[in-house]
Amino acid sequence: MGHPEPPWGTLGLGREFHTWHEFSCFFDEWCERHKVLFIIASLKPLVSLRRHPLHTQPSLAETLRFRFVRLICKHSVLPPNPETIDCPASVTLRLGPKKDRLVVIEASLEHNHRLSEVEFAHYFKRHQLEASMGLPIRITNSVSKRFLAPDLVWNLEDYSKAKDKGMCELLSQLDGLFKSDPGAKVKLVFQEDVAVLNSIFLATSHMRGLVQRFPRCLYMDRAACVNGEFDLYSVLCEDANGRGRECAYCVARRGVPDLVLFIVASLVQSVPDIKLQVRCLTVGAGVTDVDAVEEVLPCARVQICRLQVLEALYRKACELAAPKEDKVRNLLHNMANASSPRIYSQYLSDLEDVAPLAFLQYYLETWHHNKGMWAECWAFERNRDCPFLEHMSFHRQKLCSALGLPLGLAACIRGLLDLQALRVEVAALNEERVSDLYRAACPPESAALVAEELGLAKHADYHVDEVPDGFLLHGGGCSFVVSPDLAACSCSIYVSSHRPCRHVFAARLWTGQPLYDPGLLPSPLGLGGQDAS
């Protein structure tokens, strides 16, 4: 016969936790199961043990947070009655011998008083152990969901220095951002009445400038899993060359409600001019709670990526082992691409005849009610391919190469800011002179793209590889070869007219060559009479 499980579960001496988040989640569930209330009585913050931690590995100070923590029964300091209860229940953790995990060294789990489920329901809050130990609740309540002022970030960092190394490192990154970019917009959202960080909204001045110039179509999706607690959401706009450009980031704790509405509202607050200019917002199939977005963007249509919806439906049909699966898939495809609501209804009727009840119920509850957001006949622009997948795929490639996930919050923000920073120093660039020559070299119908051409090169959005024929630039779904002398390009603009293009500028920047070179641009008087493509 096996031994019965101890009455207090598996929390006991020697239990190990590799992150503070792991312990917090375990302890929350354990307390909920047994209806007990604990608070932190004493602690010792963990100073980073690595002087130069790996870029791909969060610092231990951020993941473990403490070298010593003692939790005691809440009734020892906040009893339900006026008389103090000296309850012996306590749990103590200490940094393990290998300095890479927390180990339970004390577990006194018996209480000397009655446990009240009503009282537990009133006081207990999940994630409370993950609250910042250095930030007062009155401060986190007041700054939550508001754009931070640079001097406030410095004050918050000063609060956190002694007790919360991870929060201090995060605030240090934001402090550095404001010093280099005073026009950046940042929000920190904390759980009300608990100093638990739920999300970070971030838009640099450059990102805000992009969405102000190109507000018509926006794209949003969960772009990456930052770590076991947080996901990264990105908002992209589409520039004049049809490329997806980052215009906002949001790092959010999983399960945070109304996240899409918060991101969209924050973006509009950071760039108010776009409120009436956005015509379409396309989101991924995994993004929910989009119904209220049109209240913030009154002139915009909200769409869900059609191909992702179909992929989700195909997976569900496969999971349920639907009979006549091929026919079900064909009907779903026809519904998604129906040219009118009447045709959509016809295919839906056919689906009801062949699909199993479980799948049909899933479809009606999950996708039918918002069919206007993903079926072709209700699309924002009919009979046109949506570039959502292309933009997001390229964006995720850049994130993977730049961030090296998983990461702590401070390292994630640092990586995102590095991704937005200029690849090389271009302070000596005489951009006005280059722009004048570029405009002179291009026909009038192309002049509107000149600033964007220069901007793409200046911000080095291409990946460059050296190849036998010169330099291969690839990005945004396109590839071009720039000659070894960095003067010619394989793109149609250069090939047909021998006129400069953004790829030449980008290659010169990425290889460290001066961007302005008298030989780089042709003389406006010697164009040879050829038209640009």
Side-chain angles (χ1 to χ4, degrees):
M1 294 180 61
H3 296 287
E5 184 182 2
W8 292 102
T10 58
L11 178 60
L13 297 180
R15 173 125 193 180
E16 298 178 344
F17 299 92
H18 291 82
T19 68
W20 182 250
H21 173 69
E22 180 186 350
F23 172 72
S24 174
C25 291
F26 170 85
F27 201 65
D28 278 350
E29 293 179 4
W30 184 84
C31 289
E32 279 191 300
R33 186 163 66 248
H34 302 294
K35 301 297 183 289
V36 290
L37 295 165
F38 280 80
I39 63 169
I40 293 179
S42 58
L43 56 84
K44 293 181 181 179
L46 175 63
V47 178
S48 181
L49 298 175
R50 293 192 179 96
R51 189 176 297 274
H52 301 291
L54 297 175
H55 175 68
T56 56
Q57 185 173 1
S59 70
L60 292 179
E62 195 171 354
T63 56
L64 294 177
R65 293 186 64 181
F66 310 109
R67 62 172 59 250
F68 173 88
V69 180
R70 184 169 185 265
L71 301 103
I72 62 174
C73 174
K74 187 168 184 174
H75 292 79
S76 295
V77 292
L78 187 61
N81 302 312
E83 297 180 3
T84 300
I85 299 175
D86 187 16
C87 180
S90 64
V91 177
T92 304
L93 299 95
R94 186 183 294 278
L95 193 66
K98 296 182 179 180
K99 313 297 184 184
D100 62 348
R101 66 197 68 184
L102 291 169
V103 181
V104 176
I105 63 170
E106 177 195 7
S108 300
L109 305 178
E110 294 294 335
H111 295 256
N112 62 1
H113 55 88
R114 184 177 61 88
L115 302 177
S116 168
E117 292 191 14
V118 174
E119 186 182 24
F120 175 85
H122 178 73
Y123 284 109
F124 179 77
K125 292 181 180 178
R126 293 188 69 87
H127 306 301
Q128 196 156 9
L129 290 180
E130 297 186 67
S132 171
M133 301 300 168
L135 298 180
I137 290 176
R138 61 180 175 81
I139 299 293
T140 58
N141 282 350
S142 66
V143 305
S144 188
K145 297 186 180 181
R146 298 180 181 181
F147 288 121
L148 298 177
D151 57 343
L152 179 58
V153 173
W154 187 88
N155 290 334
L156 294 176
E157 185 181 356
D158 195 49
Y159 271 118
S160 301
K161 283 181 179 177
K163 291 187 176 180
D164 196 331
K165 184 71 173 178
M167 178 61 70
C168 187
E169 290 177 354
L170 170 62
L171 292 167
S172 176
Q173 293 299 320
L174 299 180
D175 184 40
L177 167 63
F178 281 122
K179 287 177 180 177
S180 61
D181 181 9
K185 295 292 185 180
V186 178
K187 286 184 180 180
L188 298 180
V189 180
F190 293 89
Q191 185 175 328
E192 188 174 3
D193 296 330
V194 184
V196 174
L197 182 62
N198 277 346
S199 55
I200 307 166
F201 174 86
L202 170 65
T204 66
S205 295
H206 176 62
M207 296 164 80
R208 294 171 59 212
L210 282 171
V211 73
Q212 189 161 28
R213 292 165 63 192
F214 309 110
R216 184 172 181 269
C217 294
L218 302 180
Y219 308 88
M220 179 169 61
D221 201 7
R222 187 178 77 95
C225 169
V226 176
N227 53 42
E229 306 167 66
F230 289 87
D231 291 325
L232 170 65
Y233 289 79
S234 298
V235 183
L236 311 181
C237 60
E238 187 172 85
D239 66 20
N241 290 280
R243 301 187 61 216
R245 309 289 294 279
E246 299 91 344
C247 55
Y249 293 121
C250 183
V251 180
R253 188 182 296 275
R254 290 173 191 162
V256 172
D258 302 320
L259 182 62
V260 174
L261 187 61
F262 164 73
I263 296 173
V264 174
S266 299
L267 181 60
V268 172
Q269 290 167 5
S270 65
V271 191
D273 292 348
I274 72 172
K275 182 177 181 69
L276 302 178
Q277 298 177 12
V278 179
R279 294 292 179 264
C280 183
L281 170 66
T282 304
V283 302
V287 175
T288 57
D289 301 327
V290 296
D291 296 335
V293 169
E294 292 180 2
E295 297 177 8
V296 182
L297 299 172
C299 299
R301 288 281 306 279
V302 179
Q303 292 187 158
I304 304 174
C305 176
R306 187 178 309 130
L307 289 177
Q308 286 194 346
V309 173
L310 279 175
E311 289 174 359
L313 288 168
Y314 294 163
R315 285 196 301 270
K316 193 66 175 182
C318 182
E319 288 173 12
L320 296 176
K324 302 180 182 179
E325 184 179 334
D326 290 343
K327 190 168 184 178
V328 169
R329 289 169 63 101
N330 288 337
L331 287 172
L332 292 171
H333 178 271
N334 292 339
M335 292 167 66
N337 294 281
S339 58
S340 70
R342 181 181 59 83
I343 294 176
Y344 171 90
S345 298
Q346 290 176 352
Y347 285 123
L348 176 59
S349 179
D350 294 340
L351 183 69
E352 292 172 344
D353 292 336
V354 300
L357 182 60
F359 178 82
L360 191 62
Q361 183 176 358
Y362 162 79
Y363 177 78
L364 294 175
E365 293 178 353
T366 308
W367 297 111
H368 176 66
H369 73 280
N370 58 15
K371 57 186 180 297
M373 295 184 183
W374 58 271
E376 165 68 17
C377 55
W378 290 285
F380 169 65
E381 292 179 313
R382 298 279 300 275
N383 302 315
R384 289 192 59 182
D385 292 333
C386 175
F388 175 88
L389 290 177
E390 179 182 342
H391 292 339
M392 282 296 170
S393 176
F394 179 55
H395 173 60
R396 289 188 175 101
Q397 290 176 21
K398 289 200 294 183
L399 289 175
C400 288
S401 63
L403 298 185
L405 302 168
L407 290 171
L409 289 185
C412 176
I413 296 300
R414 181 171 62 248
L416 294 176
L417 295 177
D418 289 345
L419 193 62
Q420 290 299 316
L422 296 179
R423 181 64 186 264
V424 295
E425 177 61 50
V426 292
L429 169 65
N430 185 351
E431 189 169 304
E432 182 177 356
R433 174 62 176 158
V434 174
S435 180
D436 289 343
L437 290 174
Y438 201 113
R439 289 178 185 275
C442 294
E445 59 269 21
S446 301
L449 298 180
V450 170
E452 184 60 18
E453 294 280 350
L454 292 173
L456 283 168
K458 178 179 177 182
H459 294 286
D461 279 353
Y462 288 96
H463 295 282
V464 180
D465 295 316
E466 191 167 356
V467 295
D469 296 332
F471 298 91
L472 174 65
L473 285 82
H474 48 96
C478 303
S479 296
F480 305 96
V481 176
V482 176
S483 61
D485 61 358
L486 302 174
C489 180
S490 65
C491 73
S492 60
I493 290 179
Y494 188 88
V495 169
S496 65
S497 63
H498 297 287
R499 288 170 185 158
C501 60
R502 63 179 178 270
H503 319 115
V504 170
F505 285 110
R508 295 184 73 85
L509 278 173
W510 277 68
T511 55
Q513 300 298 314
L515 181 56
Y516 177 67
D517 183 337
L520 180 61
L521 291 162
S523 168
L525 300 179
L527 297 179
Q530 293 179 305
D531 294 328
S533 60

